Amino acid sequence: MTEPRPSTTPGAPNRRRFLQITAVGAGTAGFAGASLAGANQAAAVTSGLTTLTHPGVLHSRADLDRMRAKVAAGAEPWLGGYNVFKDDFFSRSTYTVAGGRATVTRDPAGDSGNAELWYDCNAAYQNALMWYLTRDTAHATKALTIIRSWTNALQEINGKDAELAAGIYGAKLAAAVEIMHYTGPAGSWTAAELADTVAMFENVFVPLINVYGDGAYGLMGLKGMMQIAVACNNLALFDNAYNAFMTHSCCGLTKLIQSGTGQCCESGRTQGYAQLILGSLAEICQTGWIQGLDLFGASDSLLLSGYEYTAKYNLGNTVPYDATFGRCDWHWSSISTDGRGTYRNIYEIAYNHYVKRAGKSAPYTAQVASGLRPEGAPNQCDHPGFGTLLFTL
């Protein structure tokens, strides 16, 4: 789900809800699995929340303040992480806006406007963070210019992989919107402009992602839905995503990671896809944490077991593999060596929560996080990246 990063532009609350859920899902290796028909038939559950916390997509105000204070003090590893972050192409206030466009297509046959959208989503998010960290209004202006450009133009996302585009890019853009809405310079964004941005999310992005497909594909929609829900202050959408995380039989937590082993449903596909799933689940859990929900702890910290399994294997160790555990529509007969030993920048978010906050043991996750530190850019627009700056506690 990645494309090359560019060198130039193209044309926490005190109380937590501890969750216990039961693992679901099985199948047969090497050929198509069960039909998607009938997926998500479990009774709906809701978060129990009555309001949403803001800012609350990936970063709370306390998180943002911690980053800024640590960087200002020259404290490590935050300063090293910041130096990597500020030098990134998408963190520049001089970034040239690529969009907006009325129509974006993500499809194997052609990707008109696709790169422009994900470039701009990265730049909006990273400039929003740079604004908060530096108080340089040039970054705020850049982030808001990007948000406005797409709000005023975008009418449709289409193509075979439209759900991926809407979920992945929508999640990143929602994070930018959330920061600018609640921390932007006074008077920089009117209520009418914000309402237009909310309407764009709800009319263009949400209809594509609320179908929740299979495996990593479905998870991208789920991630987008949760982040967009918070940015739109829409509790109904948030509960929709929460329910899918908890119960969906093809892209819920217990379908994506096997209880007892930590095997990912796409460990037999490639290690890149396995890590895409882990990082995206961690992003969902991080937003949930800010909202007062311990999704990190769901199903006996199942996400941690997924990180440990994948990190252990990619560090060169042997892990068990169950060929009957895969996606709803496909299973693989053996664990994949494709991408083995190549790491996405997704490990600091898990290491810092599970080890530093929760006091759990995560030796393989810790080893990978240490080797990546300071974490750099994400693959394409798939994750926040830069976890040493963003998530170190």
Side-chain angles (χ1 to χ4, degrees):
M1 298 186 187
T2 62
E3 299 168 22
R5 287 176 63 83
S7 57
T8 59
T9 54
N14 292 326
R15 186 172 68 88
R16 303 285 158 192
R17 299 177 185 272
F18 290 87
L19 310 170
Q20 296 296 325
I21 51 183
T22 304
V24 297
T28 306
F31 46 83
S35 169
L36 288 176
N40 202 28
Q41 293 299 307
V45 297
T46 63
S47 65
L49 299 178
T50 56
T51 60
L52 294 171
T53 298
H54 304 285
V57 178
L58 294 177
H59 316 293
S60 67
R61 189 174 294 273
D63 294 331
L64 295 167
D65 287 341
R66 179 187 65 245
M67 294 177 223
R68 187 168 64 187
K70 293 294 187 181
V71 171
E76 294 292 356
W78 296 269
L79 182 60
Y82 171 72
N83 287 334
V84 173
F85 178 74
K86 72 178 179 65
D87 290 340
D88 187 74
F89 173 83
F90 292 114
S91 297
R92 303 171 188 170
S93 64
T94 56
Y95 169 84
T96 300
V97 180
R101 291 190 174 206
T103 302
V104 169
T105 300
R106 179 163 176 169
D107 192 281
D111 281 347
S112 176
N114 180 61
E116 286 82 354
L117 179 54
W118 75 256
Y119 281 21
D120 278 0
C121 289
N122 273 351
Y125 171 65
Q126 291 180 211
N127 271 275
L129 285 167
M130 285 294 293
W131 145 248
Y132 199 90
L133 295 172
T134 68
R135 284 304 193 245
D136 182 346
T137 57
H139 289 293
T141 298
K142 184 62 63 176
L144 288 169
T145 297
I146 294 168
I147 293 167
R148 289 186 180 111
S149 73
W150 287 97
T151 295
N152 294 336
L154 187 61
Q155 299 178 26
E156 180 183 14
I157 300 173
N158 61 30
K160 181 180 178 180
D161 293 331
E163 182 184 350
L164 293 179
I168 296 170
Y169 312 158
K172 184 69 71 75
L173 189 60
V177 167
E178 184 78 350
I179 293 169
M180 297 312 302
H181 178 191
Y182 293 98
T183 79
S188 61
W189 207 4
T190 69
E193 288 176 320
L194 175 62
D196 287 343
T197 298
V198 169
M200 174 194 65
F201 278 132
E202 294 182 349
N203 295 332
V204 178
F205 288 81
V206 168
L208 293 169
I209 59 179
N210 67 359
V211 295
Y212 301 133
D214 193 13
Y217 201 100
L219 178 62
M220 298 308 103
L222 200 165
K223 175 172 75 169
M225 182 70 88
M226 180 165 283
Q227 316 300 38
I228 287 170
V230 176
C232 293
N233 197 36
N234 189 321
L235 189 57
L237 291 182
F238 184 89
D239 277 338
N240 182 302
Y242 176 86
N243 176 57
F245 178 90
M246 295 293 291
T247 70
H248 200 283
S249 58
C250 288
C251 68
L253 174 66
T254 56
K255 177 57 185 177
L256 298 172
I257 301 175
Q258 186 179 46
S259 179
T261 67
Q263 178 182 321
C264 176
C265 71
E266 298 195 15
S267 293
R269 187 180 184 187
T270 72
Q271 295 309 302
Y273 277 100
Q275 291 176 85
L276 173 67
I277 287 172
L278 294 174
S280 296
L281 284 170
E283 293 162 51
I284 290 169
C285 292
Q286 176 65 16
T287 292
W289 181 263
I290 297 168
Q291 301 306 321
L293 304 168
D294 186 18
L295 302 183
F296 281 110
S299 201
D300 196 23
S301 299
L302 186 57
L303 177 58
L304 174 58
S305 71
Y307 265 92
E308 283 292 278
Y309 177 97
T310 298
K312 181 178 181 179
Y313 177 67
N314 280 275
L315 285 165
N317 301 291
T318 300
V319 294
Y321 183 78
D322 179 1
T324 69
F325 184 79
R327 293 190 328 206
C328 281
D329 69 350
W330 197 264
H331 307 108
W332 291 268
S333 59
S334 61
I335 192 168
S336 176
T337 59
D338 187 344
R340 188 179 189 185
T342 299
Y343 302 102
R344 288 183 172 230
N345 288 310
I346 61 165
Y347 287 86
E348 289 278 32
I349 187 173
Y351 168 76
N352 278 278
H353 178 84
Y354 286 114
V355 177
K356 299 186 73 174
R357 180 184 282 136
K360 294 182 178 293
S361 175
Y364 299 108
T365 302
Q367 185 176 340
V368 175
S370 177
L372 292 173
R373 192 172 294 132
E375 277 188 353
N379 294 59
Q380 198 228 56
C381 193
D382 290 352
H383 308 290
F386 307 105
T388 304
L389 169 67
L390 303 183
F391 302 114
T392 298
L393 299 174

